[in-house]
């Protein structure tokens, strides 16, 4: 019990650093580059969003207020980059989706751009070029996994879309039962039998 | 009435959002399906996705609710479905700060991280490290050191990044694993190299001599990864700021980076050269000519980066920026308003009366 609560507090510290460190950000080299990533729909509503720095927008309410503001400022002009609330935000849109990557205003814009491109290209490859809200919602689980592979707690984990997709495009059972190979059917039958025996 | 309107809109969009109007309590009820054996991977993955979606939308879960969901989720370790397992890892990470007794999954995760499936191992390491506390650290230390030097880049990166996160649990973790990180630094994978450099810097940043040695060694081999190169430029800058006399080799290295094949690195170097007080006029000059080139780039982000940096230099070296006045004037009508604004304010600092008419 005790240990769990201590792990709880440490978890809280994970993506958090003191405001003092934040001021030193420009001079202290760090891998913590990304402040947030978001995918919004064409009404500015959140489809998926992650924030990695507890000091900016600590609660969902502030995050969503920021997203609304960001959307209002960006949905008409396809201008790729904007400064908002002290953050550098790079963005890209397609049909009814908006992709954003946020970083500190001291951050190298081109690094943020490479993360955005990776996010967009990964989603595009996962959805087989069909980058639309409906398609994202249909493959929401895989898109979530992809976002998790691109950035871990603010550190860029991978910025190469092909390798991100390789790590998450795991679904092999898209084929309905009638068209599965004999080996696949046998495998799943074996699984079922094993579990019924173990019960 | 409102519901009717919404239905109509959904119809227009061709089928509604399957995740709209989800009820927290209903979804948590559904999570009881996780206890069924055998596990139905499809169905459970869908329910788990709904839970993750709700959490992502900012839905608050009480400790009891979170703990119940977490324990139900642990039952899914029975299934060998890859997508489901990966979603469970995500769920563990999301719920680890809300639920109690999350260390219950330690052995399952340790098993996955040392198993054969690479797709499990990397993700399992990252999930494991979010539930690790000071007491558990010793138990996983051996596995973590092995993972850092693993031949799979995904596994190695996951372990390196996690060890940076673990700094908040134990501040000397990077130093304890520095030997392995040093080995990972030689990796041919660009991301592993970058993450290893981050861990090594974390391990040595209090020891200036050690940082100098690290930077000097890397400068000779020049990292392949553009991300690592950017990090190295920042490290060199930090050292130069603290040094009594300017170290020529480091300044030379940064200047050399102006000819790197990755724009990211070129910009980082130019930004570094103009931003700290010790570079001479020659270095500032070559940095500014690079930024001038970027001003004409078709990519808005690159133009933005260039003009923002020029704007800053104009405060300290207005004369040096005058060379870019023509390019800056072209940017006044840029379709991106931030770029236009930055161009105007820069010109106000550098422009002469003669250019006002144009």
């Amino acid at each position: 019990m005790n240990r769990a609560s201590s792990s709880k507090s440490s978890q809280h510290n994970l993506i958090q650093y003191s405001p003092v460190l934040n001021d030193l950000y420009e001079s202290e080299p760090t891998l913590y580059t990304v402040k947030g990533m978001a995918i919004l729909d064409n009404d500015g509503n959140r489809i998926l969003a992650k924030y990695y720095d507890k000091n900016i927008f600590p609660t969902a309410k502030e995050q969503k207020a920021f997203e609304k503001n960001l959307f209002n400022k960006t949905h008409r002009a396809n201008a790729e980059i904007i400064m908002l609330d002290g953050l550098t935000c790079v963005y890209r849109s397609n049909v009814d989706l908006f992709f954003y990557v946020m970083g500190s205003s001291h951050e190298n814009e081109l690094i943020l751009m490479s993360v955005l491109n990776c996010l967009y290209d990964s989603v595009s490859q996962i959805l087989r070029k069909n980058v639309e809200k409906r398609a994202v919602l249909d493959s929401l689980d895989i898109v979530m996994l992809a976002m998790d592979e691109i950035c871990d707690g603010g550190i860029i984990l991978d910025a190469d879309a092909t390798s991100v997709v390789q790590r998450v495009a795991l679904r092999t059972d898209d084929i309905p039962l009638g068209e599965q190979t004999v080996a696949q059917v046998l495998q799943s039958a074996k699984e079922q039998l094993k579990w019924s025996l173990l019960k | 009435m409102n519901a009717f309107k919404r239905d109509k809109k959904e119809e227009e969009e061709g089928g509604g959002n399957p995740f709209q109007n989800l009820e927290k309590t209903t979804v948590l009820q559904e999570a009881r399906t996780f206890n069924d054996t055998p596990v139905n991977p499809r169905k459970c993955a869908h329910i788990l996705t709904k839970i993750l979606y709700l959490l992502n939308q900012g839905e608050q879960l009480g400790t009891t609710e979170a703990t119940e969901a977490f324990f139900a989720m642990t039952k899914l370790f029975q299934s060998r479905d890859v997508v489901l397992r990966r979603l469970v890892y995500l769920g563990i990470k999301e719920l680890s700060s809300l639920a109690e007794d999350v260390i219950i999954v330690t052995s399952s995760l340790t098993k996955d991280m040392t198993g054969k499936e690479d797709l499990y191992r990397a993700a399992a390491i990252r999930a494991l490290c979010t539930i690790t506390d000071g007491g558990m650290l010793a138990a996983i230390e051996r596995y973590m050191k092995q993972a850092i030097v693993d031949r799979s880049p995904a596994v190695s990166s996951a372990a390196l990044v996690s060890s940076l996160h673990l700094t908040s649990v134990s501040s000397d973790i990077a130093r304890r694993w520095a030997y392995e990180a040093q080995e990972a630094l030689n990796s041919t994978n660009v991301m592993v190299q970058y993450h290893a450099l981050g861990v090594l810097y974390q391990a040595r940043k209090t020891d200036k001599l050690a940082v100098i040695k690290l930077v000097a060694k890397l400068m000779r081999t020049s990292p392949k990864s553009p991300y690592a190169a950017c990090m190295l430029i920042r490290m060199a800058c930090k050292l130069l700021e603290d040094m009594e006399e300017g170290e020529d080799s480091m300044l030379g290295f940064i200047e050399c980076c102006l000819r790197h094949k990755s724009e990211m690195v070129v910009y980082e170097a130019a930004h570094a050269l103009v931003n700290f007080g010790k570079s001479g006029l020659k270095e500032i000059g070559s940095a500014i000519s690079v930024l001038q080139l970027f001003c004409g780039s078709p990519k808005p982000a690159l133009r933005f980066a260039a003009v923002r940096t020029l704007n800053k230099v104009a405060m300290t070296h207005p004369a040096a920026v005058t060379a870019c006045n023509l390019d800056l004037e072209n940017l006044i009508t840029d379709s991106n308003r931030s770029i236009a604004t930055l161009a105007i304010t820069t010109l106000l600092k550098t422009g002469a009366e003669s250019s006002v008419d144009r």
Side-chain angles (χ1 to χ4, degrees):
Chain A
M1 197 67 172
N2 210 355
R3 286 218 297 185
S5 66
S6 78
S7 100
K8 216 188 308 189
S9 66
S10 70
Q11 162 64 219
H12 204 70
N13 282 334
L14 248 172
I15 33 186
Q16 193 175 35
Y17 38 82
S18 68
V20 187
L21 256 178
N22 215 358
D23 283 338
L24 285 173
Y25 191 83
E26 199 176 11
S27 53
E28 187 66 68
T30 170
L31 295 197
Y32 290 88
T33 311
V34 182
K35 298 283 184 198
M37 289 200 292
I39 304 177
L40 307 182
D41 69 8
N42 57 351
D43 294 318
N45 294 319
R46 174 190 290 190
I47 294 177
L48 285 173
K50 286 295 261 176
Y51 290 86
Y52 302 105
D53 187 340
K54 281 269 176 344
N55 284 324
I56 49 165
F57 322 129
T59 67
K61 201 177 146 220
E62 283 133 347
Q63 293 169 4
K64 289 200 171 174
F66 170 76
E67 281 161 23
K68 275 272 180 278
N69 193 8
L70 183 62
F71 178 77
N72 286 335
K73 293 235 157 55
T74 54
H75 77 286
R76 257 160 298 158
N78 203 4
E80 198 173 291
I81 187 162
I82 190 176
M83 290 270 254
L84 193 67
D85 294 348
L87 292 175
T88 301
C89 313
V90 292
Y91 61 99
R92 199 169 160 180
S93 65
N94 194 355
V95 196
D96 51 1
L97 287 175
F98 288 80
F99 296 80
Y100 297 90
V101 171
M102 282 76 79
S104 128
S105 58
H106 304 300
E107 194 45 68
N108 184 329
E109 291 86 347
L110 304 182
I111 294 185
L112 297 176
M113 227 24 226
S114 75
V115 179
L116 176 71
N117 287 336
C118 176
L119 174 66
Y120 182 89
D121 294 342
S122 308
V123 172
S124 169
Q125 285 180 39
I126 290 165
L127 306 178
R128 308 209 168 89
K129 303 232 164 98
N130 197 13
V131 185
E132 285 177 354
K133 181 179 175 182
R134 180 76 221 183
V136 166
L137 291 171
D138 284 345
S139 304
L140 197 67
D141 47 354
I142 306 294
V143 175
M144 278 178 181
L145 292 176
M147 278 177 88
D148 181 60
E149 286 294 336
I150 293 168
C151 184
D152 184 306
I155 299 181
I156 304 167
L157 196 58
D158 201 342
D160 176 40
T162 320
S163 109
V164 168
V165 172
Q166 255 170 19
R167 291 182 194 183
V168 296
L170 319 150
R171 189 148 277 163
T172 48
D173 56 351
D174 268 326
I175 333 146
L177 188 66
E179 289 152 53
Q180 278 184 16
T181 65
V182 181
Q184 277 168 324
V185 177
L186 270 178
Q187 179 62 36
S188 63
K190 235 191 267 173
E191 286 284 329
Q192 300 229 346
L193 185 68
K194 196 170 86 191
W195 283 114
S196 61
L197 286 176
L198 279 174
K199 227 178 341 186
Chain B
M1 185 63 199
N2 221 348
F4 171 73
K5 248 191 217 157
R6 202 182 293 133
D7 280 348
K8 205 170 164 200
K9 199 178 173 207
E10 277 171 13
E11 264 170 37
E12 280 166 8
E13 281 170 357
N17 173 354
F19 296 98
Q20 211 164 36
N21 310 322
L22 281 183
E23 276 283 340
K24 178 174 78 169
T25 39
T26 326
V27 177
L28 290 177
Q29 285 271 340
E30 285 181 322
R32 298 206 176 141
T33 320
F34 295 171
N35 291 311
D36 296 353
T37 33
V39 173
N40 179 339
R42 267 283 158 112
K43 201 169 152 201
C44 290
H46 188 64
I47 297 168
L48 195 45
T49 310
K50 284 193 213 167
I51 296 178
L52 289 168
Y53 178 80
L54 280 180
L55 287 170
N56 196 275
Q57 289 295 322
E59 188 75 57
Q60 301 282 334
L61 250 59
T63 313
T64 326
E65 287 172 325
T67 310
E68 251 171 50
F70 188 88
F71 271 77
M73 208 171 63
T74 57
K75 302 284 181 0
L76 299 177
F77 269 103
Q78 292 176 7
S79 166
R80 297 173 55 128
D81 184 82
V82 200
V83 176
L84 185 59
R85 180 68 60 93
R86 293 284 295 268
L87 287 172
V88 170
Y89 297 147
L90 264 193
I92 289 173
K93 285 197 277 192
E94 294 297 327
L95 290 173
S96 62
S97 55
L98 304 168
E100 281 179 335
D101 298 324
V102 291
I103 47 172
I104 196 96
V105 289
T106 307
S107 64
S108 304
L109 288 173
T110 320
K111 209 173 115 207
D112 283 352
M113 92 176 250
T114 51
K116 266 188 236 133
E117 179 64 79
D118 276 357
L119 287 170
Y120 287 174
R121 289 165 69 212
I125 289 169
R126 295 194 285 128
L128 181 63
C129 288
T130 56
I131 59 159
T132 297
D133 57 17
M136 262 170 63
L137 204 52
I140 63 161
E141 181 150 9
R142 187 164 59 95
Y143 302 120
M144 285 299 286
K145 284 182 172 175
Q146 266 169 24
I148 290 175
V149 294
D150 197 272
R151 61 179 167 74
S152 154
V155 172
S156 183
S157 276
L160 287 162
V161 169
S162 298
S163 52
L164 275 174
H165 294 326
L166 283 173
T167 307
S168 63
V169 176
S170 161
S171 54
D172 67 336
I173 205 78
R175 218 170 310 141
R176 265 154 59 191
W177 300 350
Y179 178 78
E180 284 76 18
Q182 182 78 57
E183 210 168 304
L185 192 63
N186 299 327
S187 165
T188 49
N189 181 285
V190 291
M191 290 323 276
V192 173
Q193 193 177 48
Y194 171 59
H195 296 139
L197 184 58
V199 172
L200 282 174
Y201 182 71
Q202 175 70 29
R204 297 183 183 167
K205 67 180 178 190
T206 47
D207 178 358
K208 217 171 96 185
L209 267 175
V211 179
I212 293 176
K213 254 173 77 183
L214 176 66
V215 171
K217 189 182 155 226
L218 273 169
M219 278 187 331
R220 275 197 302 278
T221 52
S222 204
K224 242 190 242 106
S225 156
Y227 297 96
C230 288
M231 178 76 180
L232 189 59
I233 291 171
R234 288 181 201 181
M235 285 163 66
C237 274
K238 176 88 178 139
L239 284 174
L240 280 167
E241 263 170 18
D242 298 343
M243 273 186 207
E244 294 296 304
E245 306 151 39
E247 174 111 21
D248 286 343
S249 67
M250 282 189 198
L251 214 51
F253 164 74
I254 300 176
E255 217 190 333
C256 194
C257 285
L258 288 175
R259 290 181 289 280
H260 200 275
K261 61 177 186 305
S262 161
E263 277 172 348
M264 191 192 285
V265 182
V266 175
Y267 170 64
E268 185 75 44
H271 183 80
L273 284 174
V274 298
N275 261 324
F276 77 114
K278 292 206 178 119
S279 38
L281 276 178
K282 181 179 141 267
E283 285 93 9
I284 289 187
S286 41
I288 285 181
S289 50
V290 166
L291 294 172
Q292 188 175 5
L293 266 177
F294 285 173
C295 281
S297 162
K299 295 179 196 158
L302 202 48
R303 296 199 299 275
F304 177 88
V307 70
R308 192 174 65 100
T309 310
L310 286 172
N311 188 40
K312 227 172 158 190
V313 210
M315 310 257 228
T316 49
H317 300 86
V321 184
T322 327
C324 308
N325 275 359
L326 254 177
D327 306 83
L328 288 169
E329 279 168 32
N330 288 335
L331 292 181
I332 290 179
T333 52
D334 201 284
S335 59
N336 184 317
R337 273 167 62 194
S338 315
I339 296 178
T341 317
L342 281 166
I344 293 169
T345 50
T346 315
L347 279 169
L348 285 176
K349 287 167 200 146
T350 64
E353 272 177 56
S354 59
S355 60
V356 174
D357 302 331
R358 284 203 303 259

